[in-house]
Amino acid sequence: MDVAVALSLLFCCVLLLASGAIAFLLIRHFLASGAEARAAAPRHRQPPPAANQQQQRAASIAVKKEEEEAPRRLAWREVEALTGGFDESAVVGRGGSSAVYLARLLDGSPVAVKVHRWCGGERRLRAFRQELDLLRRLRHPNIVALLAYSDDHGAN
Ligand SMILES: Nc1ncnc2c1ncn2[C@@H]1O[C@H](COP(=O)(O)OP(=O)(O)OP(=O)(O)O)[C@@H](O)[C@H]1O
């Protein structure tokens, strides 16, 4: 009788230990697969790593530089469209013989459109061409890049 009780107690202990071990293994397995799934999930909300951002920045600068290489010659009507028909409320500054308008390109990026007041005269035309020529050649982070120009006012 004692042996039978001892055997049943031993069996219960083994059963308990076995079920405990199985439960432990199952919990460990689920925890590990949860961590793997989290690691594999795409990181929508995280910003790209710094190296990526730098690459993107370099790419957009390269694109801009290409644009800068060859400023586009605009038709006068394009300048009119850019400035909303020379809308006074878009004027952000004035020079001695010019008004500067804030405009937006199709992609939404802001640009300054400088419109010279034409009063005729060779000297004025020369000054305008000099400024154009200078801006065309200058490349500096602190100097606005010349993206486009128009010198056909009156030719339309
Ligand atoms: N890229 C720009 N972004 C914002 N504002 C600008 C920009 N360019 C010019 N402006 C504004 O327009 C004003 C006049 O422009 P700018 O300095 O080119 O003319 P200026 O050389 O003084 O005169 P002008 O060429 O008519 O003789 C500036 O003082 C500034 O307020």
Side-chain angles (χ1 to χ4, degrees):
M1 184 68 178
D2 284 349
V3 175
V5 172
L7 276 175
S8 1
L9 274 174
L10 187 68
F11 178 73
C12 283
C13 284
V14 169
L15 202 66
L16 271 174
L17 278 174
S19 47
I22 288 169
F24 170 74
L25 287 173
L26 279 175
I27 288 168
R28 211 176 67 159
H29 171 76
F30 283 122
L31 284 179
S33 55
E36 266 171 32
R38 271 196 302 280
R43 295 169 187 179
H44 291 301
R45 287 170 196 280
Q46 282 186 7
N52 253 358
Q53 277 176 345
Q54 267 173 4
Q55 276 166 7
Q56 281 171 5
R57 224 172 95 78
S60 67
I61 287 169
V63 169
K64 270 227 170 302
K65 275 193 174 160
E66 263 177 30
E67 286 167 5
E68 286 164 22
E69 294 303 334
R72 205 159 76 77
R73 186 170 186 244
L74 301 177
W76 188 246
R77 63 175 183 285
E78 290 180 281
V79 182
E80 269 185 309
L82 262 175
T83 57
F86 307 105
D87 180 5
E88 277 297 305
S89 66
V91 173
V92 289
R94 288 184 197 278
S97 62
S98 62
V100 178
Y101 298 80
L102 172 64
R104 293 205 177 265
L105 299 181
L106 284 179
D107 67 358
S109 44
V111 288
V113 181
K114 182 170 175 174
V115 180
H116 284 268
R117 216 173 21 253
W118 178 244
C119 342
E122 264 308 304
R123 206 172 61 86
R124 281 250 171 254
L125 191 59
R126 218 176 23 249
F128 170 71
R129 294 219 184 278
Q130 269 171 1
E131 184 171 342
L132 204 63
D133 218 46
L134 207 63
L135 277 175
R136 210 196 289 257
R137 282 181 288 129
L138 285 176
R139 295 279 181 277
H140 191 274
N142 296 339
I143 299 175
V144 286
L146 180 69
L147 299 178
Y149 68 96
S150 177
D151 57 0
D152 77 341
H153 187 32
N156 288 340

